[in-house]
Amino acid sequence: MATRTKSAKDRPSYRCTECGWQTAKWLGRCPECQAWGTVEEYGAPAVRTTAPGRVTTSALPIAQVDGRQAAARSTGVPELDRVLGGGLVPGAVVLLAGEPGVGKSTLLLDVAAQAAGPGHRTLYVTGEESASQVRLRADRIGALDDELYLAAETDLAAVLGHLDAVRPSLLVVDSVQTVASPEIDGAPGGMAQVREVAGALIRASKERGMATLLVGHVTKDGAIAGPRLLEHLVDVVLSFEGDRHARLRLVRGVKNRFGATDEVGCFELHDEGITGVTDPSGLFLTRRDEPVPGTCLTVTLEGRRPLVAEVQALTVDSQIPSPRRTTSGLETSRVSMMLAVLEQRGRISALGKRDIYSATVGGVKLSEPAADLAIALALASAASDTPLPKNLVAIGEVGLAGEVRRVTGVQRRLAEAHRLGFTHALVPADPGRVPAGMRVTEVADISDALLVLPRGRGAGRGGRAEGPSAEGEGRTGARTRDESRSGGAGSRGASRTGAGRGEARTSATRRTAGSAAAKSPAAAPAPREEEAPELWEEDSAAPF
């Protein structure tokens, strides 16, 4: 190797000890990592070239590579295996990140105990707790095994020494931000330290064929702490989510080189530890004998798993000039949009001056647009103080024009609702194959969906809300799945046309009658139009 001769450029430069950023002049603050006082002077290294070296392993055609060495091995936790794509691949490095207190250490300690067995040693390295503290948690959750080894270390060299002594098939490091290398300047958890520690552990995993689970911290914004390079180096990135005040925990795949990233694992955190939940829909429902106003059920997709969730809404008279809008588990912007659609397109005018509270059951967070229709119906039901029909689920995205748009996975959602005993569903047009014994009603817009609310019952309790206006009185509204498409469409079009013409004639008749009444006080009053029947009566044309 030849070293270039000195030139004018061979002069001291400056480098950040945290992230390694280099500059030609000194700065008080690193522009890359925003750290203060970390830019220090160092000698400019000589530029060297790398000559071709000896090949360690010959290149082979991809069809001749033995793929059996990378076969996944189960972790013993089925919900985690679902997210990982079948289990842990030898030599794979998995990064699990989540908020403090969400249960990362508890889950990985349970995984370490489940994976340990004859011929499969597991090494659990903790840098945040003492060995005795981890033992207490292991006693509480029953994570004890003769092949599970425990070490409390924060030095990278000591961790690598434990690997030579124990020779495990699975390594758990809690956490990667607490381990530091004495060869690198900077505090533990800094960008340079995290990069060096992660790189050393990844090299050790690949060389030994050892699966590694790393615990990662997150920032206050929810991003993984440390350099972005960390997520690029590892094979799998998992996000551990959940409300600290709720039992449900979700493990989502953000990156997975060995499987799909649209899988979600569900866990329940309790006093005895953390356990997988194979059927989590029951955690998001409230069992009642009779329906309650302001509640509506929907089916959300968490990855590829359908979950039945309940949306609740409550409206009360506001005592302040600016009514409150409080949400829990729902996006505030989406709830506000549904309120505007109900007021403008659904002709419900009692929502603007009332305090509105909306929430989900069980701590689940609904962010996908498929929950729009359930949110709108829950708000309308709360405003009219009228319960929705029993065993009804609503699925669909609602646009600003009031239309109900199609969403993905309608058939999977309907199959899950039917499995749990729901018999009726409101869905957008063309839902596909419908489960046998389930009555599915297709709705085109929000006015069609509001037909499931009986008119007149809510008004009897103070007239809190107005139902759909007279403009929609002549509409056929929603169309059930067993109706013929041509007949349903024709009836709807004819009904809308007839309604429009009838409204014009009725308006003209009202104006003529009003003029006659003004001229002749003794004239007989104009005949009142026949009120629409309640949609839940047996002789009505309601969709249910």
Side-chain angles (χ1 to χ4, degrees):
M1 299 183 186
T3 305
R4 67 177 176 85
T5 59
K6 287 188 176 183
S7 64
K9 296 183 179 179
D10 289 331
R11 60 178 180 267
S13 58
Y14 299 87
R15 178 178 62 184
C16 177
T17 58
E18 289 292 331
C19 65
W21 179 80
Q22 299 181 14
T23 181
K25 61 180 181 179
W26 181 86
L27 295 173
R29 183 180 186 180
C30 175
E32 183 69 19
C33 63
Q34 306 299 322
W36 288 93
T38 59
V39 179
E40 298 179 356
E41 180 182 351
Y42 80 105
V47 178
R48 301 178 183 272
T49 59
T50 302
R54 185 170 57 90
V55 177
T56 56
T57 304
S58 301
L60 297 175
I62 190 171
Q64 298 181 12
V65 177
D66 187 8
R68 292 174 296 179
Q69 298 180 359
R73 177 174 175 266
S74 175
T75 62
V77 181
E79 287 298 306
L80 185 60
D81 290 342
R82 173 198 292 267
V83 184
L84 293 174
L88 287 172
V89 175
V93 180
V94 180
L95 176 64
L96 178 67
E99 296 284 345
V102 75
K104 302 184 297 297
S105 301
T106 303
L107 173 63
L108 292 188
L109 182 59
D110 184 50
V111 171
Q114 295 290 341
H120 296 283
R121 289 183 176 180
T122 301
L123 176 60
Y124 189 98
V125 178
T126 174
E128 300 179 347
E129 303 173 277
S130 64
S132 58
Q133 291 174 334
V134 178
R135 170 60 194 269
L136 290 177
R137 186 167 68 251
D139 290 335
R140 177 170 57 87
I141 66 177
L144 297 175
D145 194 278
D146 293 337
E147 297 298 328
L148 173 58
Y149 289 76
L150 177 63
E153 295 288 351
T154 57
D155 183 68
L156 177 60
V159 174
L160 297 177
H162 283 296
L163 294 181
D164 293 334
V166 180
R167 307 187 68 84
S169 58
L170 173 63
L171 170 65
V172 180
V173 179
D174 186 10
S175 64
V176 69
Q177 280 86 3
T178 59
V179 181
S181 172
E183 305 297 331
I184 302 297
D185 296 333
M191 291 190 178
Q193 286 287 357
V194 171
R195 185 188 300 111
E196 176 65 21
V197 171
L201 294 177
I202 291 173
R203 287 192 298 269
S205 299
K206 304 300 181 184
E207 293 172 358
R208 302 168 183 268
M210 169 190 65
T212 302
L213 295 174
L214 303 177
V215 176
H217 297 170
V218 296
T219 63
K220 60 182 180 181
D221 298 329
I224 299 177
R228 189 72 173 181
L229 180 66
L230 177 61
E231 300 181 47
H232 292 283
L233 291 177
V234 300
D235 300 306
V236 181
V237 178
L238 303 180
S239 175
F240 204 13
E241 305 173 358
D243 188 356
R244 299 182 62 179
H245 305 288
R247 298 179 300 169
L248 180 69
R249 299 292 187 268
L250 298 178
V251 176
R252 300 179 186 271
V254 179
K255 171 189 174 182
N256 193 352
R257 291 175 178 168
F258 313 111
T261 58
D262 57 351
E263 283 288 358
V264 175
C266 298
F267 296 87
E268 185 177 5
L269 189 65
H270 45 77
D271 295 338
E272 290 76 21
I274 187 168
T275 56
V277 181
T278 57
D279 189 7
S281 293
L283 299 176
F284 311 137
L285 302 178
T286 303
R287 302 298 180 181
R288 304 185 185 90
D289 295 333
E290 296 296 333
V292 177
T295 62
C296 185
L297 300 177
T298 187
V299 185
T300 181
L301 281 181
E302 292 290 348
R304 289 186 293 181
R305 167 181 285 184
L307 302 176
V308 178
E310 181 177 344
V311 179
Q312 297 181 345
L314 179 66
T315 64
V316 295
D317 294 330
S318 180
Q319 305 298 327
I320 57 177
S322 299
R324 296 184 181 90
R325 300 289 185 265
T326 305
T327 61
S328 175
L330 300 171
E331 294 183 354
T332 304
S333 58
R334 207 142 199 99
V335 175
S336 300
M337 187 175 69
M338 291 301 102
L339 291 173
V341 171
L342 287 174
E343 184 172 354
Q344 185 67 21
R345 309 299 179 185
R347 299 295 188 266
I348 299 180
S349 59
L351 296 174
K353 300 180 180 180
R354 299 177 64 83
D355 293 338
I356 297 177
Y357 306 89
S358 56
T360 57
V361 175
V364 64
K365 295 182 179 179
L366 299 181
S367 58
E368 65 166 343
D372 287 352
L373 187 57
I375 296 173
L377 290 178
L379 293 171
S381 174
S384 61
D385 201 14
T386 305
L388 291 167
K390 194 176 181 180
N391 296 328
L392 168 71
V393 294
I395 305 168
E397 177 184 2
V398 179
L400 293 179
E403 77 280 8
V404 179
R405 303 171 184 168
R406 297 182 61 184
V407 295
T408 59
V410 176
Q411 297 183 21
R412 276 184 292 168
R413 300 172 196 262
L414 292 178
E416 177 68 11
H418 182 261
R419 184 183 69 85
L420 294 177
F422 296 95
T423 57
H424 300 85
L426 291 180
V427 297
D430 300 326
R433 186 176 180 181
V434 176
M438 188 174 193
R439 189 170 187 183
V440 176
T441 303
E442 302 174 18
V443 291
D445 50 36
I446 191 64
S447 298
D448 290 348
L450 291 177
L451 292 177
V452 300
L453 287 171
R455 304 177 189 175
R457 296 188 180 183
R461 301 190 181 187
R464 295 183 179 178
E466 299 175 4
S469 65
E471 299 176 1
E473 294 290 349
R475 300 175 61 178
T476 56
R479 176 166 57 89
T480 55
R481 187 62 177 167
D482 53 3
E483 294 176 355
S484 62
R485 297 185 180 274
S486 59
S491 300
R492 179 178 293 176
S495 178
R496 291 180 178 176
T497 305
R501 294 176 181 174
E503 290 165 10
R505 294 172 182 171
T506 303
S507 300
T509 304
R510 286 177 176 173
R511 288 195 296 269
T512 305
S515 302
K519 295 180 180 179
S520 177
R528 297 181 56 187
E529 292 183 351
E530 185 177 358
E531 295 183 356
E534 292 186 357
L535 296 180
W536 282 349
E537 294 180 357
E538 296 182 357
D539 57 346
S540 64
F544 301 106

